């Protein structure tokens, strides 16, 4: 086991200038030919990540797990699943990443465990001291336990029809807001919280540099579920004790004391919740992941209810978060992650004509906002959605459940497949394209999931040789953040909020001012006259350096230093 001096390698606030790279281990790099990505495979690609210039790896779950939800159902928080390697492999990854100047952040999934976790197995005994570590309720009054409709509440789960599951061994129902295989921990129980904090301290001692916290705003449950109330409740939040729990976690684990990067995934969180969570004076978390901008292209029913997204709507949403966290708190910035379809297919134009420039321009816009940018594996060279056409092409539990439920309700299968082709999480989970060899260089065996057929044209090996590639553009954006204080700390101001093609804003610090102007469309766009005076402006970075200064080509973006 490695040890790590908490004061070294992590200066105060270091994450404000950092760029984070998310790795979904199953799909990143296989080292042993079994078709599944693993930890030694990640270690073998550290030179690539150092060349890209990122500061942090965020590692999606590699803990021991039955893999019902691809590792987000953890059965042992202090062991590595054999699919991915061993604890010794992870120690080596941490040490070698640190040797490259790259920090490592672990995924923390403590809203729920696997139903195979020892804690839950003990909890099934009503006489166990761990009974209250999970949320158990009797059947609805007057109904036979286990009979139809006897659940304590008629509440659906995210990945299953019911959030309450009957356990014949104990005669009661347990609560799992995601699936029966993922029972929720009872954070009202202090022993649960202390067990979680002890586990986190164990990982910090092992050398990790922070935590990405899965659905962390859901750890505090509504009072109708827990039967408790709190005077510190914030209107609109899922449960009343969230901020109390996060402050306690910070204090007990020493999140601030060790200068750890902490980012909370918070579905449904508002700017107000994020402000409370990330205000440094409150000692909770560094930043949160907002879901608002990745929910704008859906209708009122669900993420599968596809809706067009107008650029002014997207611009306004990101600007609202910039303004809301301008004076206190901090933003996270992302297009892609393991739960979202590929950004260039979703927000850009993945046609052969426009894929490269739309990938570059989406990166320009995102990385020039104020906050910590996150790059998802393959995003840095413009990976696209896969051409899935049949339900048999999919593996993700969320996608398969939606198909089953929607077709059972009478939704035409072709309509279901259209929604899946646009929004399935599986698009993010196909293997990374390393080169144009068989299986894209991901494995020497049979990959666990089919490789996108366009890997021969879109792969890391090809772009690393091209000075004007998407990869090269990401390198320049990352270096700019490292070198330029205005990019890191400058005041944000949105311009042309109603323009349906151009995304423009300024970043200003002291006497320095940067203008970002981007054509987020597949048609040319004339630069409006009411922008700041461009006379004498210096081009810092552009996608089309030789273009006409008064016209933006399709998906052209420029970063200009104003004089």
């Amino acid at each position: 086991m490695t040890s790590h001096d908490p004061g070294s390698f992590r200066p105060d606030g270091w994450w404000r200038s950092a760029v984070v790279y998310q790795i979904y281990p199953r799909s990143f790099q296989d080292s042993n030919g079994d078709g599944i990505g693993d930890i030694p495979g990640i270690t073998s690609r550290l030179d690539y990540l150092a060349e890209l210039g990122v500061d942090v790896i965020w590692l999606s779950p590699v803990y021991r797990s039955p893999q019902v939800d691809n590792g987000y159902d953890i059965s042992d928080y202090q062991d590595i699943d054999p699919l991915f390697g061993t604890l010794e492999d992870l120690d080596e990854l941490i040490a070698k990443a640190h040797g490259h100047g790259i920090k490592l952040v672990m995924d923390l999934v403590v809203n729920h465990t696997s139903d195979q976790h020892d804690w839950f197995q003990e909890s099934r005994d009503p006489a166990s001291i761990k009974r209250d570590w999970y949320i158990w309720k009797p059947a609805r009054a007057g109904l036979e336990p286990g009979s139809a409709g006897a659940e304590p509440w008629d509440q659906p789960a995210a990945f299953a029809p019911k959030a309450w599951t009957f356990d014949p061994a104990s005669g009661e129902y347990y609560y799992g807001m995601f699936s029966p295989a993922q029972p929720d921990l009872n954070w009202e129980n202090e022993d649960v919280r202390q067990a979680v904090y002890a586990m986190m301290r164990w990982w910090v001692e092992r050398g990790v540099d922070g935590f990405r916290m899965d659905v962390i705003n859901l750890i505090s449950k509504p009072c109708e579920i827990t039967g408790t109330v709190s005077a510190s409740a914030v209107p609109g939040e899922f449960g009343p004790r969230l901020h109390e729990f996060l402050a306690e976690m910070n204090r007990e684990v020493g999140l601030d004391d060790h200068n750890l990067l902490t980012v909370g995934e918070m579905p449904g969180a508002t700017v107000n919740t994020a402000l409370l969570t990330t205000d440094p004076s409150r000692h909770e978390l560094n930043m949160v992941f907002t879901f608002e901008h990745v929910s704008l292209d859906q209708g009122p029913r669900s993420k599968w209810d596809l809706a067009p997204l107008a650029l002014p709507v997207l611009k306004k949403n990101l600007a609202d978060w910039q303004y809301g966290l301008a004076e206190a708190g901090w933003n996270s910035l992302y297009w892609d992650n393991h739960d979202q379809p590929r950004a260039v297919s979703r927000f850009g134009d993945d046609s052969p004509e426009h894929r490269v420039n739309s990938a570059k321009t989406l990166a320009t816009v995102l990385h020039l906002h104020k906050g910590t940018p996150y790059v998802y594996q393959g995003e840095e060279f413009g990976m696209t959605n896969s051409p899935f056409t049949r339900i048999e092409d999919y593996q993700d539990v969320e996608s398969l459940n939606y198909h089953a439920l929607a077709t059972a309700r009478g939704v035409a299968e072709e309509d279901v497949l259209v929604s899946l082709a646009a929004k399935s999480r599986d698009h993010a989970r196909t293997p990374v394209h390393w080169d144009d060899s068989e299986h894209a260089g991901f494995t020497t065996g049979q990959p666990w999931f089919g490789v996108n057929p366009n890997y021969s044209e879109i792969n890391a090996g090809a772009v690393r040789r091209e000075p004007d590639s998407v990869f090269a553009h990401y390198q320049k954006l990352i270096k700019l953040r490292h070198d330029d204080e205005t990019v890191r700390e400058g005041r944000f101001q949105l311009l042309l909020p109603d323009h349906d093609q151009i995304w423009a804003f300024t970043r200003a610090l002291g006497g320095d001012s940067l203008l970002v102007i981007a054509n987020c469309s597949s048609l040319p766009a004339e630069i409006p006259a009411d922008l700041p005076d461009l006379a004498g402006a210096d081009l810092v970075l552009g996608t089309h350096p030789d273009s006409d200064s008064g016209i933006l080509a399709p998906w052209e973006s420029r970063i200009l230093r104003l004089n």
Side-chain angles (χ1 to χ4, degrees), residues 361-388:
T361 285
L362 287 173
T364 296
V365 168
L366 190 80
H367 283 241
L368 266 291
H369 278 68
K370 186 177 180 180
T372 298
Y374 288 74
V375 180
Y376 181 68
Q377 60 187 40
E379 180 184 348
E380 74 277 10
F381 57 87
M383 281 184 66
T384 67
N385 283 355
S386 286
F388 299 138

Side-chain angles (χ1 to χ4, degrees), residues 42-85:
I42 298 168
T43 304
S44 74
R45 295 293 183 180
L46 286 173
D47 286 346
Y48 169 84
L49 297 177
E51 181 183 345
L52 180 60
V54 296
D55 307 276
V56 186
I57 293 169
W58 153 24
L59 195 61
S60 289
V62 291
Y63 310 96
R64 190 174 288 272
S65 166
Q67 301 295 323
V68 173
D69 187 23
N70 286 331
Y72 284 87
D73 50 317
I74 296 169
S75 57
D76 189 336
Y77 287 110
Q78 292 175 237
D79 197 9
I80 301 301
D81 196 284
L83 278 175
F84 304 122

Side-chain angles (χ1 to χ4, degrees), residues 110-169:
V110 290
N111 173 72
H112 50 268
T113 70
S114 166
D115 62 349
Q116 302 305 305
H117 197 293
D118 286 347
W119 295 349
F120 183 74
Q121 291 300 314
E122 292 181 44
S123 177
R124 294 177 67 195
D125 178 358
S128 169
I129 60 172
K130 286 190 171 64
R131 178 64 167 182
D132 194 42
W133 282 40
Y134 295 82
I135 300 170
W136 293 92
K137 297 289 183 185
R140 198 170 300 187
L143 295 177
E144 180 69 21
S147 64
E151 297 85 5
W153 292 283
D154 185 18
Q155 180 182 352
F159 305 146
K162 301 284 186 181
W164 292 92
T165 300
F166 181 61
D167 178 43

